Amino acid sequence: MKFLAVATAVVSTLLLATSNVEAHVTANPSVGVSGAYFQTNFRVPHGCDGNATDLVIVEIPKNVTSVKPRATYPWNTTINMVPLAVPIVTPSGTVNTTVGSITWSNGNLADTMYEDFGLQFKLPQMIGPLYWSVYQHCVNGAWNNWTNIPDAKGATAGFPAAVINISNTTTAAPGTASPSTGGDNKSAAVASQIVGLGQVALVGAGALMLAML
């Protein structure tokens, strides 16, 4: 019975670890090419302490342009405009506003389900991580504000912001998942290792439990 209790504790711990690997809002895919058009989905994986999600806001980072959201039935989709600091003069006229955020409202996403909120846009001319603030509201009035970025040591406290890693390589096609460099690649490798170890431990613990019966 002692061995059975230990095996059960190990399985429970690993299940918790693997479930937390993707317990925050992420961009999928999360690797793009500098200055290229890109399509991704911001995945909301859970609610607020068991409560359903009824509103999601994705804030558009500076210098991201040509933003167009994907309609997600039955959610209402709103494009929120903000003034440009410096108006852009074009042959067809002067552009004074840009997309500041996208809001999906009047939904009811159960805590036991996930949803992808899609965006199409043009990435800025830059190399490195581009962080996206995502605000999640639930039916109980609670907010999950996914806005925190890593500190100088690479640690992120609280609710981490979604991230898209931008490179200048032409092998990373816009809108397709590609191996990333830096932190995201390491995170993906760690997540894969954790899941793999969890699967091995589950099989081993299962065999141990059967042997004990």
Side-chain angles (χ1 to χ4, degrees):
M1 291 299 293
K2 183 177 180 181
F3 286 102
L4 182 59
V6 171
T8 302
V10 170
V11 170
S12 298
T13 301
L14 286 169
L15 282 175
L16 178 61
T18 55
S19 66
N20 286 336
V21 169
E22 295 183 355
H24 55 274
V25 172
T26 54
N28 304 277
S30 62
V31 179
V33 178
S34 175
Y37 284 94
F38 190 73
Q39 187 280 325
T40 193
N41 299 296
F42 291 92
R43 178 165 296 172
V44 176
H46 57 72
C48 309
D49 294 326
N51 295 280
T53 301
D54 60 3
L55 182 144
V56 173
I57 302 172
V58 176
E59 193 173 276
I60 309 303
K62 184 179 179 181
N63 297 326
V64 171
T65 59
S66 302
V67 179
K68 182 179 290 187
R70 177 172 61 85
T72 304
Y73 181 82
W75 298 73
N76 293 336
T77 307
T78 305
I79 301 174
N80 308 299
M81 307 299 292
V82 295
L84 277 171
V86 179
I88 301 173
V89 179
T90 69
S92 58
T94 301
V95 178
N96 296 300
T97 59
T98 187
V99 179
S101 63
I102 303 294
T103 301
W104 288 270
S105 59
N106 296 329
N108 195 325
L109 177 62
D111 180 60
T112 54
M113 301 181 183
Y114 77 89
E115 183 60 90
D116 287 339
F117 298 89
L119 287 181
Q120 174 183 292
F121 47 87
K122 187 176 182 180
L123 290 167
Q125 295 282 352
M126 62 167 285
I127 302 298
L130 178 65
Y131 294 99
W132 296 68
S133 294
V134 180
Y135 303 88
Q136 174 189 8
H137 182 268
C138 294
V139 295
N140 64 334
W143 286 90
N144 286 340
N145 297 327
W146 306 95
T147 59
N148 295 335
I149 63 175
D151 59 23
K153 296 182 179 179
T156 304
F159 295 86
V163 62
I164 294 174
N165 283 289
I166 304 176
S167 69
N168 59 3
T169 174
T170 57
T171 58
T176 59
S178 304
S180 62
T181 57
D184 242 26
N185 195 34
K186 293 179 182 177
S187 298
V190 170
S192 177
Q193 290 172 1
I194 291 174
V195 172
L197 288 172
Q199 292 172 343
V200 171
L202 285 173
V203 172
L208 176 60
M209 289 179 186
L210 288 175
M212 295 294 297
L213 295 178

